[in-house]
Amino acid sequence: MKGSGPLAGLRVLEVGHILAGPYATMLLADLGAEVTKVEPPGGDLSRQVSDAYFASLNRNKRSVRVDLSAPAGQDRLHELVRHADALLVNLKPSAIERFGLTYDALKPFNERLVCVAVTGWGTDAGDTPAFDYVVQAATGIAAMTGDPDGPPALPGYSAVDNSAGMAAALGLLAQVHSGRGGQIEVSLRDVMLSQLNYHAAAWLNDGKAPRRLGGAHAYYVPAQLFPTAEGHLALFITHDGFWRSFTAEARIEGYPTMAERAAHREEVVAAVTKALAADTAASWERRLRPLGVPAAAVRTLPQALVEFPDAVVRAGEHRLVGSPYRIAGYEPEYGPPPGLGEHDDPV
């Protein structure tokens, strides 16, 4: 690393597969933590997806192969634990218990160890499968996504796994900061219900259930995607000052307050749709940005990566999106993902 990362000296073990757990520990590794993947003899399942997929979640890490089902593997785990600050596990609850990957099981080897268990429904909920899209369906996200007259919908990326990974990294650091060892639980279900904050509050306190609005915001109007003469434009008007600036440029009259716009949603959307049809999405973005109006033309991912080249880094042989954290005085050097067992102890 160029300079010392803010998490330099932090030693983290990772036992898990695919996305949520590996993403959490990669964020820590990008910030300078020493992360060691404890992989089964066959490796993390994401190695079977593609090299680029694995690299996108596992750069800057070490890899050791450990058969946790064997006595020798348990001995190796306990030796690793003695020198670690934290262990993050992303397995089904029965496997976490069976392999002794809890604080209670590992406390005799390191009392200050922080153990984080990332599961689908919670460690007491059994082994019911809980993959990303399943949790989106179960927690109400799919039901509120999509066109009002269409079926439920899902986003095109792993929103649940990535969100759970960030939450797990935060929980791990919070307990490490306390200076005490202990057990942390993060479930995909809890993370997504937490992220539905104002929607859940509206139902729990006012009996107001969310509706599918075709991607439109439940409270702010207009705040959604609009068709234009060419392409679509995301427009996000969150207060009256934005509205005044936008309407002066788009030549729309009326509805000066948020309350009025919310009360006349269909009329406002129709007026905005008509005005935006006069120009292209790219042109509207160029016109509205200098006015401070939140707006962006809808881009494909390839277009976005061309537009924002500073987000792309090289990690070994792979080009990847870099860390979301920009810290003054610290510039990570992104290392390649580890080969399976690359850091096994020599015989």
Side-chain angles (χ1 to χ4, degrees):
M1 297 295 178
K2 297 178 181 178
S4 181
L7 296 183
L10 180 70
R11 294 184 173 183
V12 179
L13 304 176
E14 171 212 305
V15 180
H17 291 285
I18 305 294
L19 213 162
Y23 181 60
T25 56
M26 185 182 73
L27 293 175
L28 302 176
D30 286 344
L31 294 174
E34 179 186 283
V35 175
T36 300
K37 288 180 69 69
V38 180
E39 301 190 64
D44 181 335
L45 292 175
S46 66
R47 291 183 181 275
Q48 302 173 22
V49 179
S50 74
D51 288 344
Y53 187 104
F54 181 78
S56 73
L57 299 165
N58 292 286
R59 62 178 176 239
N60 289 339
K61 299 181 185 179
R62 304 168 72 251
S63 168
V64 298
R65 285 173 295 185
V66 178
D67 183 358
L68 295 174
S69 65
Q74 284 292 308
D75 290 342
R76 179 67 175 124
L77 170 67
H78 300 156
E79 181 61 27
L80 290 167
V81 162
R82 287 187 178 95
H83 303 286
D85 299 296
L87 166 69
L88 191 145
V89 184
N90 182 193
L91 297 173
K92 59 186 180 182
S94 65
I96 293 174
E97 289 292 333
R98 183 169 69 254
F99 295 141
L101 298 170
T102 65
Y103 179 72
D104 285 344
L106 297 173
K107 181 180 178 181
F109 307 99
N110 185 347
E111 189 172 353
R112 61 180 178 79
L113 184 73
V114 172
C115 292
V116 182
V118 181
T119 65
W121 311 105
T123 55
D124 295 330
D127 287 346
T128 302
F131 293 93
D132 192 291
Y133 288 2
V134 173
V135 175
Q136 290 195 48
T139 56
I141 296 171
M144 69 175 69
T145 306
D147 293 328
D149 299 323
L154 298 168
Y157 82 109
S158 301
V160 175
D161 283 331
N162 283 296
S163 297
M166 282 194 162
L170 176 60
L172 182 153
L173 291 176
Q175 188 64 22
V176 168
H177 178 72
S178 76
R180 302 183 303 273
Q183 182 73 51
I184 304 290
E185 290 191 31
V186 175
S187 76
L188 274 61
R189 184 207 68 175
D190 288 350
V191 168
M192 298 321 291
L193 289 176
S194 171
Q195 292 195 351
L196 293 177
N197 35 50
Y198 60 83
H199 284 297
W203 168 252
L204 293 171
N205 297 280
D206 303 321
K208 182 180 179 181
R211 298 179 294 131
R212 279 204 297 279
L213 296 171
H217 198 278
Y219 291 93
Y220 303 127
V221 180
Q224 62 186 75
L225 297 180
F226 288 94
T228 70
E230 181 181 331
H232 284 74
L233 183 81
L235 184 67
F236 207 78
I237 305 296
T238 57
H239 63 68
D240 298 339
F242 288 156
W243 178 249
R244 286 191 296 271
S245 297
F246 168 68
T247 54
E249 183 70 17
R251 298 182 179 179
I252 298 174
E253 296 182 354
Y255 318 105
T257 68
M258 178 58 72
E260 290 178 90
R261 294 192 296 278
H264 299 87
R265 176 187 289 270
E266 292 183 3
E267 296 173 22
V268 172
V269 169
V272 172
T273 301
K274 181 179 179 180
L276 293 179
D279 206 347
T280 68
S283 181
W284 277 116
E285 180 180 303
R286 288 193 296 269
R287 291 168 61 179
L288 295 174
R289 284 288 179 86
L291 303 177
V293 176
V298 171
R299 296 179 174 86
T300 64
L301 176 59
Q303 290 170 335
L305 294 176
V306 170
E307 182 74 15
F308 309 116
D310 61 308
V312 179
V313 302
R314 180 165 289 281
E317 298 178 355
H318 296 92
R319 296 173 68 226
L320 306 170
V321 174
S323 171
Y325 307 108
R326 306 293 178 94
I327 298 176
Y330 175 65
E331 182 183 349
E333 284 187 353
Y334 295 97
L340 177 59
E342 180 179 343
H343 302 91
D344 287 347
D345 288 343
V347 178

